[in-house]
Amino acid sequence: MLSVEGCMPQYRIAWLPGDGVGREVMDATRLVLDAVRLDAVYQPGDIGWEFWRREGDAFPARTIDLLKRVDTALFGAVTSKPTAAAEADLVPELKGRGLSYRSPVVRMRQLFDLYVCLRPCKAYPGNPLNFREGLDLVVFRENTEDLYAGVEFWPVPAELSATLAKLAPAFAPFQSLLADAFAISCKINTRKGSARIARAAFEFAKTNGRKKVTIVHKANVVRASDGLFLEEARKVAADYPGILTDAANVDAICMWLLKNPASYDVLVAPNLYGDIISDLCAQMVGGLGFAASGNIGEKLAVFEPSHGSAPKHAGQNKVNPVATILAAKMMLDWLGEEAKGRAVEKAVAAVLREGRVRTYDMGGASTTLEMGEAVARALPSD
Ligand code: IPM
Ligand code: MG
């Protein structure tokens, strides 16, 4: 495909709106990317509920192929529903075939080994939803393993029960239960996975002049998998004597974050705890409408808002697109277009500071697109 100048655009970007409000926030973000004049071609990809319903696959093979051919991707949101509700939505021809729904975003993270989930949470001045002013937290969430490994059993096969009864005395109370009367989800943490997310967090802290990294875990109870995570993270920490290292249980960190958020800086956590604390941190800076997320691997990175598809708001052009616009800013940084990334963030900050254009979450009546237009207008004109 040719750009206006007649030569190949510099970047190929997969454009994955998904469903629900995903489409609307992506449309608003596109206004900003166009205004910042990124030399890119945007290649649309199919992902989301519509494809689950019609094809039995929310993340079709053609979209996986697309992701193999692009430099990066921007992703909106997709709907997830529990097993029975997902089955009920399938077209009649696909019902009863034993198809099972798995979140496409989790699959994408694992398939492309996007092991860093980077979630900055910054309180922009003027945002009426800030829980505290001045917060600037960054969560590094391990993104491919832990309880998200997808190794789960329900009903539990007799063979597995027998093995566990042999190996784990603590399994005794479950041993005689019927296969369907209990369920097992494996929390799998590896040394490699734990070390590389810790390395990413400490490197980020070092490069960005951050003072402290807090390792989040529950190793006092979840001794094996969290014990390993903590051990690996501490080993990495030893390579960064200039950065203060702190470790805390995940329950305590939720309490401390709420009580004293200003004393935290960078946090690093296994997958599920990272999922949970990143929502908490997001709420402290205005909620999911402001929380952007980068899924970053060695070869590919996919950027997205942390929020879901919000079906109840879909089609109303009302949700806040700032999270997706900030995800686009992260994408620009990752591409090496830091000047454009800074410009986008400045424009977001200016719109929030001014407070004239506000979506419903901020108590305003501006639409999703109006917010995108306002940010696009606030970009420096050069
Ligand atoms: C997130 C979301 C996802 C997750 C869901 C939509 C599968 O909550 O990106 O934080 O659990 O990782
Ligand atoms: Mg989440």
Side-chain angles (χ1 to χ4, degrees):
M1 203 171 292
L2 299 181
S3 71
V4 185
E5 291 80 22
C7 47
M8 290 292 283
Q10 201 174 352
Y11 305 112
R12 288 202 299 181
I13 300 178
W15 193 256
L16 311 174
D19 59 59
V21 300
R23 299 186 167 273
E24 299 156 46
V25 293
M26 290 283 279
D27 285 348
T29 301
R30 183 64 163 271
L31 298 176
V32 179
L33 285 169
D34 287 346
V36 86
R37 292 200 297 272
L38 183 68
D39 184 19
V41 59
Y42 299 96
Q43 305 191 311
D46 296 338
I47 193 164
W49 203 250
E50 192 189 326
F51 304 98
W52 161 254
R53 254 182 26 77
R54 288 195 315 208
E55 301 175 26
D57 190 352
F59 186 31
R62 58 186 178 278
T63 309
I64 296 174
D65 286 342
L66 170 68
L67 285 173
K68 290 180 185 158
R69 297 193 309 265
V70 294
D71 298 301
T72 183
L74 197 66
F75 169 60
V78 299
T79 300
S80 285
K81 295 187 188 179
T83 310
E87 169 80 18
D89 269 5
L90 286 171
V91 293
E93 313 84 89
L94 293 176
K95 281 197 173 73
R97 291 221 199 152
L99 294 168
S100 72
Y101 183 83
R102 263 199 90 202
S103 160
V105 68
V106 173
R107 277 174 66 199
M108 191 191 302
R109 291 167 183 165
Q110 291 171 339
L111 202 58
F112 290 92
D113 201 20
L114 309 176
Y115 64 91
V116 172
C117 184
L118 169 58
R119 298 191 154 174
C121 297
K122 195 188 276 190
Y124 290 96
N127 182 351
L129 299 171
N130 285 340
F131 172 71
R132 292 276 167 83
E133 298 305 328
L135 293 183
D136 188 3
L137 300 162
V138 180
V139 177
F140 276 80
R141 163 188 178 189
E142 197 289 320
N143 217 18
T144 60
E145 44 189 52
D146 195 61
L147 266 170
Y148 281 69
V151 182
E152 304 197 275
F153 303 92
W154 185 37
V156 178
E159 201 183 342
L160 179 60
S161 266
T163 307
L164 289 173
K166 226 186 296 162
L167 298 180
F171 190 71
F174 311 108
Q175 197 178 338
S176 52
L177 294 175
L178 292 177
D180 182 53
F182 70 126
I184 296 178
S185 300
C186 297
K187 178 166 154 87
I188 306 180
N189 291 355
T190 66
R191 288 199 183 277
K192 177 181 167 194
S194 306
R196 66 185 180 172
I197 189 65
R199 178 77 55 196
F202 278 93
E203 268 306 304
F204 173 90
K206 187 174 152 190
T207 318
N208 292 279
R210 299 281 182 149
K211 307 255 169 320
K212 179 166 136 186
V213 176
T214 302
I215 306 162
V216 179
H217 64 90
K218 187 77 188 181
N220 58 341
V221 177
V222 188
R223 294 182 176 276
S225 49
D226 281 2
L228 178 146
F229 183 86
L230 180 58
E231 187 174 296
E232 287 303 317
R234 282 204 188 283
K235 274 195 227 159
V236 172
D239 293 340
Y240 298 83
I243 294 164
L244 208 65
T245 306
D246 176 22
N249 284 317
V250 61
D251 51 344
I253 208 70
C254 291
M255 181 189 72
W256 287 112
L257 272 170
L258 210 58
K259 188 165 181 204
N260 202 3
S263 60
Y264 294 92
D265 190 345
V266 176
L267 299 114
V268 60
N271 208 338
L272 183 65
Y273 306 149
D275 179 43
I276 295 167
I277 64 164
S278 61
D279 271 21
L280 176 60
C281 292
Q283 192 56 43
M284 288 195 290
V285 299
L288 289 173
F290 297 87
S293 178
N295 303 285
I296 304 169
E298 299 297 342
K299 291 201 201 114
L300 180 71
V302 179
F303 298 87
E304 55 167 333
S306 299
H307 62 69
S309 64
K312 72 171 186 221
H313 296 314
Q316 297 173 46
N317 192 22
K318 70 180 276 201
V319 299
N320 189 348
V322 163
T324 315
I325 296 171
L326 290 174
K329 175 247 185 272
M330 292 173 75
M331 180 180 82
L332 291 167
D333 290 346
W334 188 80
L335 286 170
E337 296 282 353
E338 284 100 343
K340 292 190 192 305
R342 265 194 305 278
V344 170
E345 188 179 23
K346 266 192 173 161
V348 167
V351 170
L352 294 175
R353 197 170 48 240
E354 209 183 23
R356 274 196 310 114
V357 182
R358 284 181 170 171
T359 38
Y360 86 98
D361 53 327
M362 288 182 275
S366 304
T367 65
T368 308
L369 273 183
E370 282 164 356
M371 194 75 187
E373 281 159 7
V375 174
R377 267 198 315 273
L379 285 164
S381 48
D382 56 304

